[in-house]
Amino acid sequence: MQSSMTRVQECALTVIAISVVAIAIAAPFMALGPSASWRAKAAGGLTMLETLITMVRRVLGL
């Protein structure tokens, strides 16, 4: 095997990445509600995305 990652690991990372993006998009809408501005929602989403990416990197040891 020439690659250090197997196909299953690649699929798992893809699923994790998609989940992280979905959470980062959905979380601000759930937390702030419909009355918040789109800028507040975008800022909350970016903060959540950065936090989730950091957590995933720590878990994966990257």
Side-chain angles (χ1 to χ4, degrees):
M1 197 181 293
Q2 294 190 12
S3 176
S4 62
M5 294 181 66
T6 64
R7 184 73 176 149
V8 173
Q9 288 172 322
E10 290 175 357
C11 290
L13 283 175
T14 302
V15 169
I16 291 169
I18 292 169
S19 300
V20 166
V21 171
I23 291 169
I25 291 170
F29 289 94
M30 298 300 291
L32 297 174
S35 62
S37 72
W38 68 270
R39 290 180 188 205
K41 291 177 184 176
L46 289 176
T47 302
M48 179 68 73
L49 183 60
E50 289 174 4
T51 303
L52 290 171
I53 288 172
T54 302
M55 289 172 50
V56 169
R57 284 184 177 169
R58 286 182 185 169
V59 168
L60 296 176
L62 300 174

